[in-house]
Amino acid sequence: MAEFVSLAEGIESVVRDGCSVAMEGFTHLIPHAAGHEAIRQGRKRLTLIRMTPDLIYDQMIGMGCAEKLVFSWGGNPGVGSLHRLRDAVENGWPHRLELEEHSHAAMANAYEAGAANLPFAVFRGYKGVDLPKVNPRIKSVTCPYTGEVLATVPAIRPDAAVIHAQKADREGNVLLEGIVGVQKEAVLAAKRSLVTVEEIVEDFGPRNANAVILPSWAVTAIARVPGGAYPSYAHGYYKRANDFYIAWDKIARERDTFMAWMKANILEQGPEVFAHHAGLARQAA
Amino acid sequence: MAEFVSLAEGIESVVRDGCSVAMEGFTHLIPHAAGHEAIRQGRKRLTLIRMTPDLIYDQMIGMGCAEKLVFSWGGNPGVGSLHRLRDAVENGWPHRLELEEHSHAAMANAYEAGAANLPFAVFRGYKGVDLPKVNPRIKSVTCPYTGEVLATVPAIRPDAAVIHAQKADREGNVLLEGIVGVQKEAVLAAKRSLVTVEEIVEDFGPRNANAVILPSWAVTAIARVPGGAYPSYAHGYYKRANDFYIAWDKIARERDTFMAWMKANILEQGPEVFAHHAGLARQAA
Amino acid sequence: MSHTPMSHTATEMMSIAAARLLTDDDVCFVGIGAPSAACNLARLTHAPKITLIYESGTLSTRPSVLPLSIGDGELCDTALTTVGVPEMFRYWLQGGRITIGFLGGAQIDRFANLNTTVVGDYAAPKVRLPGGGGAPEIAGNCREIFITMAMGSRAFVETLPFITSFGHGKGKGDRERLGLKTRGPTKVITDLCVMEPDAETAELTVTALHPGVTRDQVQAGCGWTLRFAGELVETSAPTAQEIEILRDLHARTKRAHGVAA
Amino acid sequence: MSHTPMSHTATEMMSIAAARLLTDDDVCFVGIGAPSAACNLARLTHAPKITLIYESGTLSTRPSVLPLSIGDGELCDTALTTVGVPEMFRYWLQGGRITIGFLGGAQIDRFANLNTTVVGDYAAPKVRLPGGGGAPEIAGNCREIFITMAMGSRAFVETLPFITSFGHGKGKGDRERLGLKTRGPTKVITDLCVMEPDAETAELTVTALHPGVTRDQVQAGCGWTLRFAGELVETSAPTAQEIEILRDLHARTKRAHGVAA
């Protein structure tokens, strides 16, 4: 059964130095507050796994939390580059970052295989492209019926998954709605999981029988962090702060503006600022 | 885009003599009215695919529609045997029936692979059991990363899928709720599909963003047949007629009582009787 | 509620003995019939927080009546959530999230392998049984398996004509040799006794007799020569509460299924 | 609505030329940026029933503003339904249900292969680009591919440092040799012209020039020596309606994203 914890306790017990962690959320419900907490706790040597590294991993990479990144699209959506990711890859700052690069289809299938407790995923992809030349983990199997050769990737089985969701109930069940991405798969594929939520409710109330719900017994820890997805968004709570995504381009472009921003907005703050940010995003919407 | 048709037109164009057809519904939403129509139209030499043949295939097999059955559990749930299926397998009446037998896990994975346009499915199963000795389509692949040997089955790619759903909207989109089984996969895996529905609505109205919805462009034909799942059920409309499932045991046990029932209740009736049956089931509930 | 002893049937004893093995922490994959009665009895008595899953996709369901089929609407109405059948088999069963899988069968052998497929030759069967359904992968992927079956010499047989679900094969170590990492059948709860695989050989061994049942009665219901544990205990008689709750459940179920109680 | 000719930018012409290629019957897999503008312009003008899909899982979406990211809430709010990302890639894209996949890229070669991964050596890149995302499998699994990119000699290059998405490889027949059953890129819509693969060689060939654009201007924006079709047509100038609707869409979008219009 899931345990209710503070964000600091959750990050401490679920995301440990040197572990592999998938902090997922496909544009929606990105667990930014959890990422900030990991940075504040000075987490090191992480293998960061995420289809779209986004600002959350740009920040963690820039602060030196990561030794490896497993990803499929490393940009600031609709804006441009992730400058801290680029600085790490192009210049080794703050230190060298190992890349394991896939396509979205490969990672989505690899999470699915992880959730299904399979050692690998099979899909029709990577035909004619160069990624298999630089990623030795891309292999193939032959269909025993048709002889077709299909691409394979190893299942993703992270030590930890961290996601943000709309609600938990008192029993520790978790509800996600809207764009649900690969979060269910990430949690089921992981050894441990931490879910930050907008609110904890008595009961989810009337809902479609097929909403994405993670049962309490499939989750390790839950922390209430209102606004915890900001500047990403929580469907039904607050909108995506597109203006912050645009502003990030300038903040992250240079090391000193980045470090100053991180100090003022992460190192010297706590998770309670997220409720404030999300409140502003809600009003602006 | 899905075309709106009568049940007779839908069966005529989607389910053709000699084709493979998956009429799915996991206890819930079994397309009984469509099965009756196929019997009335005298469909022959079908390969019937269904995880749980249930009464619908017991009736079609007893009426000589099928030359082959692909299945994973052939009983009358909670009651006992499917006597017409047994009579075909044990005594070749009304004629010989070829069996391709799987486990539920294998068929669920095979539908999933079909929907995903893969030639085969991989899963962890069939260890130590006798089914692979009598079903040559059960094979294996070796994981290219761990060396583990996993079971495979060919993807299910039926010529036709037939399902029953709660609602279609005017654009031909289809909504399923409750126990959703493998119907989405069956429709997506098939070349052609027919969906019978309880009602056609202007708009699905407020619904969870993650309900199971089949877009119009993924469906071939839709026919309105209120009550069309009876004696199975349609969540939100009418309950399962458990008493009929119990009564079927006696009807189907002997060839003559079976034939008399089929004549009176299928051959000499039309799909309009289903609204009546479901109405009674609703009142009884 | 009264605690006066009540008379009970052997089938009731079987359900009650099975129910007692379950705890609040268990996540059970429940089949129809005896397993469903046992799991729901546990939920309505000592294990109110037990998690019940039916292969139709209903997670954490709390039916007030026993379903006739594994896909009755009652299961969905009272579930925490319902998932599709491919997801059920992939993420939840194969995913390794089930602690106890409940199985029954037409036939069982001394190593707790089960047959629910055919009697006689597969190609020309004497009796065609329903087949495996979820059982082969339930047997392989749950942490452990409980089997509930009424005894009888046609059900407890020396040799199975067909192995539908793998138990302990031909003895200790066979599961490991196949690469199975789960425990397989750890209890067989019958209407007369409880059996467990022997620690050395994996052969089913009677470890408890239900009240009033003799060794001879158990042997008479078994097609092979049974082993009995050195420390053979007697199952506690059903309490009045257990019987009342079980009978209430069955009475509600019969009314709900349109059968006179 | 007025039909007086209006002046337009080259980027607007690119969006409009791309939009015109789409029909009500198309099911489009839409990327962010130019593809999103083109697809939504088509929907708001001549193809109101076109089906738009974004890789975040939103099926049949009808956004009133252009999303900044492929997962903006607007896409989910206006979608027929939203599915998980694994399902999106397995059932919908790999399932072969998409007629047109829209791609862009940092670089393209004469056979419409695309690079969005690196400039320079992969292990020690000069410029690290975002990577493939959905593109490799969009390029392989959609029935056909439209590419929209603004021209420039650093974008239209003789040799790609890295093939992120496969177009026509090194020429006609390469897709078939890889077992690909889809058509690959059939149109490249730029700010200056439209190109199509030659029927014999699969080399990109200019088939239409946008109004007022010369062959020399097109060649100046391309790093290889371009082929021009024998029957080179001129793209029809944007109508006033097309321009108005496109500008309204961009203005609504900028307001929604918190940027002054």
Side-chain angles (χ1 to χ4, degrees), chain B residues 4-11 29-38 40 162-168 194-200 221-230 232-234 237-238 269-279 282:
Chain B
F4 288 95
V5 297
S6 71
L7 178 60
E9 290 165 348
I11 289 293
L29 292 174
I30 300 175
H32 276 279
H36 285 200
E37 184 60 33
R40 268 194 298 276
V162 179
I163 68 166
H164 187 76
Q166 278 100 341
K167 294 175 190 176
L194 169 66
V195 183
T196 58
V197 296
E198 289 295 324
E199 58 177 332
I200 295 164
I222 296 172
R224 181 176 163 272
V225 188
Y230 173 90
S232 166
Y233 70 107
Y237 289 82
Y238 47 92
Q269 304 287 348
E272 63 284 352
V273 298
F274 280 86
H276 174 71
H277 289 316
R282 189 159 41 238

Side-chain angles (χ1 to χ4, degrees), chain B residues 26-28 51-52 71-75 77-81 85-86 89-90 99-106 108-109 111-112 121-131 134 148 177-182 185 233 235 239-240 242-243 245-246, chain C residues 32 55-58 67-77 82-86 89-90 93-94 116-117 122-137 141 160-166 178-181 256-259:
Chain B
F26 205 81
T27 309
H28 180 217
M51 293 179 68
T52 56
F71 78 110
S72 45
W73 192 83
V79 178
S81 292
L85 167 58
R86 281 187 59 179
V89 174
E90 295 172 10
L99 294 186
E100 180 181 329
E101 186 168 0
H102 291 282
S103 67
H104 277 355
N109 276 290
Y111 274 119
E112 206 278 349
V122 180
F123 66 109
R124 191 173 275 132
Y126 281 143
K127 288 259 170 88
V129 303
D130 284 343
L131 211 47
V134 296
E148 181 180 351
E177 290 182 301
I179 289 174
V180 293
V182 292
E185 287 75 15
Y233 70 107
H235 209 105
K239 289 202 171 183
R240 190 171 190 266
N242 283 327
D243 55 346
Y245 274 82
I246 294 167
Chain C
I32 288 303
E55 67 192 4
S56 53
T58 52
L68 185 70
S69 77
I70 35 84
D72 278 18
E74 174 79 9
L75 295 173
C76 184
D77 282 334
T82 299
V83 299
V85 166
F89 281 96
R90 289 172 72 82
L93 180 60
Q94 184 176 268
T116 58
T117 304
Y122 183 82
K126 213 179 313 174
V127 182
R128 175 65 227 198
L129 299 165
E137 284 74 27
N141 290 307
L160 291 181
F162 195 94
I163 296 179
T164 308
S165 309
F166 193 76
L178 284 173
L180 290 165
K181 287 173 181 148
H257 295 174
V259 180

Side-chain angles (χ1 to χ4, degrees), chain D residues 74-153:
Chain D
E74 173 79 9
L75 295 173
C76 183
D77 282 334
T78 62
L80 171 65
T81 190
T82 299
V83 300
V85 165
E87 179 180 326
M88 172 55 71
F89 281 96
R90 289 172 72 82
Y91 291 1
W92 303 94
L93 180 60
Q94 184 175 268
R97 303 191 166 270
I98 315 290
T99 64
I100 295 176
F102 256 102
L103 292 176
Q107 296 185 316
I108 186 171
D109 70 14
R110 71 173 75 215
F111 294 109
N113 305 295
L114 293 169
N115 172 31
T116 57
T117 304
V118 283
V119 178
D121 181 54
Y122 183 83
K126 215 181 307 176
V127 182
R128 175 64 226 198
L129 299 164
E137 284 75 25
I138 291 172
N141 289 306
C142 296
R143 196 170 68 193
E144 61 189 303
I145 297 295
F146 291 174
I147 295 169
T148 48
M149 283 174 65
M151 293 197 73
S153 57

Side-chain angles (χ1 to χ4, degrees), chain A residues 108-181:
Chain A
N109 275 291
Y111 274 119
E112 205 279 349
N117 192 26
L118 290 172
F120 71 110
V122 180
F123 67 110
R124 191 174 274 133
Y126 281 142
K127 287 260 170 88
V129 303
D130 283 344
L131 211 47
K133 297 178 187 164
V134 295
N135 182 345
R137 288 164 69 83
I138 299 168
K139 297 188 177 182
S140 65
V141 292
T142 302
C143 171
Y145 307 99
T146 63
E148 181 180 351
V149 176
L150 293 120
T152 64
V153 283
I156 296 176
R157 301 305 302 261
D159 294 319
V162 179
I163 69 168
H164 187 75
Q166 276 101 342
K167 294 175 188 177
D169 69 15
R170 303 262 172 223
E171 293 178 10
N173 305 301
V174 169
L175 173 72
L176 280 81
E177 289 181 300
I179 289 173
V180 293

Side-chain angles (χ1 to χ4, degrees), chain A residues 181-220:
Chain A
V182 293
Q183 288 97 303
K184 180 183 202 163
E185 286 76 15
V187 167
L188 296 181
K191 292 194 189 73
R192 303 180 297 273
S193 57
L194 169 66
V195 183
T196 58
V197 296
E198 288 296 323
E199 57 178 333
I200 295 164
V201 297
E202 275 306 318
D203 188 273
F204 294 141
R207 64 189 186 279
N208 185 290
N210 304 305
V212 172
I213 291 176
L214 288 165
S216 182
W217 43 277
V219 172
T220 311

